[in-house]
Amino acid sequence: MKFYIANDHAGFNIKSAVIKLLEDRDYEIIDLGTKSINRVDYPDFAHILCEKVLKDEGSFGILICGTGIGMSMSANRHKGIRAALCHDAYTAKMARAHNDANVLCLGERVVGLGTIESIIEAWTQTQFEGNRHEHRVQKIEL
Ligand code: RB5
């Protein structure tokens, strides 16, 4: 599994822990910034990441901001991106199983590291179920 990761200043502090969780599981991870706590605009980083994910078939994205909300709103403007804001392992599991989500959005100010670990575990261990969910996912695109 290959992941692109990007964040704004409000998602910077937790990013290194997220990267470590993924590297410990031997996943490839590419950090697209921002790389400091200096203020930036979350849509800029969401758009950079989505373009990478769309060009790299089979890859996933992780976007982190304060709440995860702005990142998910920005990411879902891209045709072909299905970004899921997940606050727990169950939503992460269902985002993959039923929605075939390809971008995971996290809120650093909302979830702690233990929860993030369980979200990553659920995301990486769950496959899209297809079948009845396939045409629903196709209907998402306008
Ligand atoms: C930054 O203060 C904050 O607004 C941003 O990280 C994010 O939470 C927006 O949705």
Side-chain angles (χ1 to χ4, degrees), residues 14-117:
I14 215 154
K15 178 172 64 175
S16 53
V18 176
I19 290 175
K20 187 169 185 321
L21 284 170
L22 293 163
E23 285 177 346
D24 286 349
R25 289 163 172 77
D26 285 333
Y27 298 124
E28 186 182 354
I29 179 136
I30 296 157
D31 184 358
L32 301 172
T34 187
K35 302 195 176 179
S36 80
I37 54 164
N38 294 333
R39 284 198 182 111
V40 292
D41 299 332
Y42 57 82
D44 295 338
F45 288 85
H47 296 322
I48 289 167
L49 179 135
C50 290
E51 280 165 23
K52 293 278 187 190
V53 169
L54 288 169
K55 280 185 191 144
D56 191 351
E57 204 182 329
S59 69
F60 292 96
I62 297 180
L63 289 168
I64 315 170
C65 64
T67 59
I69 295 171
M71 285 296 199
S72 58
M73 287 178 166
S74 306
N76 279 317
R77 292 297 176 127
H78 292 256
K79 189 175 166 62
I81 291 292
R82 291 174 299 281
L85 172 56
C86 298
H87 293 325
D88 54 43
Y90 181 72
T91 47
K93 179 181 168 185
M94 299 314 285
R96 287 291 304 122
H98 286 191
N99 311 113
D100 198 19
N102 50 10
V103 173
L104 167 64
C105 299
L106 299 168
E108 177 182 303
R109 296 172 179 163
V110 183
V111 287
L113 248 190
T115 303
I116 286 183
E117 184 166 4

